[in-house]
Structures are given as C-alpha cells and as structure tokens.
Amino acid sequence: MNKLIFIFLFISPQALFAQELTHNDYQAGEFRTGLTLDSILVLKGEPINIEEYDCKRCYEPAKDIIVSYEGLKLWLSESGNSNRAYLYLFSFTKDSLSTIRNISIGSTKEEIVAAYGEPVDELWHWFELSCDEIVSYYEPSKFGGYTTTGISFCLQKNKVVEIMLGQGST
C-alpha cells in the first residue's frame, strides 16, 4: 500500500497540489472583476487615462476600455448588447493592495507558493514591468487546458513587483 501512495505522489502533476482558485481570488482591496466603469470611477475618482478601442477578438461588436491610475491598470469590456463596461482584468504595482490571500508587492515566490500551492504555468505576459519570473495560477477549463481566468505574479529578484488578476471566458 505504501508503494502505491508513493507512486501516486511521484507521478502526480504539480497542478494537483495547487489550491483551487475561487471567485474571491479575483479581488484586491476594493477592486474585483465584474465591477462596472461607473463604480470604479466612484471608488477611485478621475483616472490618469482612459483608452477605448473596438475589440478585435470579440465574436460580437464590443468595446475594450483601459483605465489607468497610478500603480493600477484596469481592463473593461462593453458588449454591443450593453451600455455598461465590466472589469475583467486588472494589474497593480502599488504596495497598498494585496490579494485575498495576503500576497502583495514585495512578497516572495515562497510566500506565493505557501498561499496558492505550486504554480500551474507561466502564461500571461501583459505585464507593464519586466519580469525575471512569472508565477501563474489558472482555473481548469471545461474543455481541457486552462482559461484566461487566473492570477499571475511578476517577480524581479524573487520579489513580486506586479500582480495581475483576471476572470475571462471559460
């Protein structure tokens, strides 16, 4: 019996040991995926910049909006069927925000692994800052592989310098 347990542990992929992400994982401070543009403007006030452009990857007419504050960048999408833009992805570089699992700017890779388990992959490369290493966690897709729903950490010299959270399609 002990040999069977040892063999199972030896051949199991790292992803089996990752702690499952929940809906609560897509928030940092008062920001969470699903917020509307109006609610973000009430929370944060006037942004440094707002960019709008037509979504090229969308199946129906949609507009992407990028809202920038100091140390915080938010991506929203407005479909052609709605006049409301919803937050689906955001990144931050300020140490005043932390994830629901208490990882913030300056945390180490060891602290990330203790909070989230072994990383799944290094997939997101939209970071504003350059990274020595990217540590990512994703929700498994219903169709195999992984989705764009997850969290990624950009590290420089083993310290988190940027965190990106997103809840995309499955």
Side-chain angles (χ1 to χ4, degrees), residues 147-158:
T147 66
T148 56
T149 298
I151 182 169
S152 288
F153 302 91
C154 172
L155 289 90
Q156 291 177 356
K157 297 180 183 173
N158 198 40

Side-chain angles (χ1 to χ4, degrees), residues 31 36-38 40-41 44-53 64-77 85 87 89-91:
F31 296 98
T36 64
L37 179 57
D38 291 339
I40 291 167
L41 296 175
K44 269 311 259 185
E46 193 64 32
I48 295 170
N49 190 33
I50 296 181
E51 301 172 50
E52 294 183 14
Y53 53 94
D64 280 341
I65 301 168
I66 300 174
V67 180
S68 300
Y69 293 95
E70 183 181 341
L72 178 66
K73 196 165 193 176
L74 305 115
W75 286 262
L76 298 98
S77 182
L87 180 64
L89 177 72
F90 65 102
S91 72

Side-chain angles (χ1 to χ4, degrees), residues 3-170:
K3 287 181 182 179
L4 181 61
I5 292 171
F6 176 75
I7 291 170
F8 174 75
L9 290 174
F10 182 73
I11 62 171
S12 295
Q14 287 181 338
L16 289 177
F17 298 106
Q19 296 178 23
E20 190 169 315
L21 295 176
T22 69
H23 181 70
N24 290 334
D25 281 305
Y26 307 108
Q27 64 184 17
E30 64 270 21
F31 296 98
R32 61 179 164 67
T33 56
L35 287 177
T36 64
L37 179 57
D38 291 339
S39 61
I40 291 167
L41 296 175
V42 168
L43 281 171
K44 269 311 259 185
E46 193 64 32
I48 295 170
N49 190 33
I50 296 181
E51 301 172 50
E52 294 183 14
Y53 53 94
D54 291 332
C55 180
K56 306 254 188 283
R57 69 189 188 302
C58 298
Y59 295 112
E60 60 184 48
K63 180 171 40 173
D64 280 341
I65 301 168
I66 300 174
V67 180
S68 300
Y69 293 95
E70 183 181 341
L72 178 66
K73 196 165 193 176
L74 305 115
W75 286 262
L76 298 98
S77 182
E78 180 182 293
S79 77
N81 300 333
S82 169
N83 60 354
R84 287 193 152 172
Y86 293 94
L87 180 64
Y88 68 90
L89 177 72
F90 65 102
S91 72
F92 59 94
T93 59
K94 291 179 78 169
D95 59 5
S96 61
L97 292 175
S98 64
T99 70
I100 198 78
R101 299 187 193 194
N102 294 316
I103 301 299
S104 60
I105 304 305
S107 294
T108 65
K109 181 177 181 180
E110 293 75 23
E111 292 170 322
I112 296 168
V113 172
Y116 290 92
E118 288 297 321
V120 174
D121 209 338
E122 296 183 3
L123 297 175
W124 282 353
H125 300 283
W126 298 354
F127 290 109
E128 292 290 310
L129 304 174
S130 63
C131 309
D132 295 337
E133 183 175 10
I134 298 172
V135 177
S136 297
Y137 300 87
Y138 291 88
E139 288 187 19
S141 170
K142 292 180 246 177
F143 308 108
Y146 290 91
T147 66
T148 56
T149 298
I151 182 169
S152 288
F153 302 91
C154 172
L155 289 90
Q156 291 177 356
K157 297 180 183 173
N158 198 40
K159 298 283 186 183
V160 174
V161 294
E162 188 172 356
I163 299 173
M164 185 170 286
L165 302 101
Q167 199 163 20
S169 60
T170 54

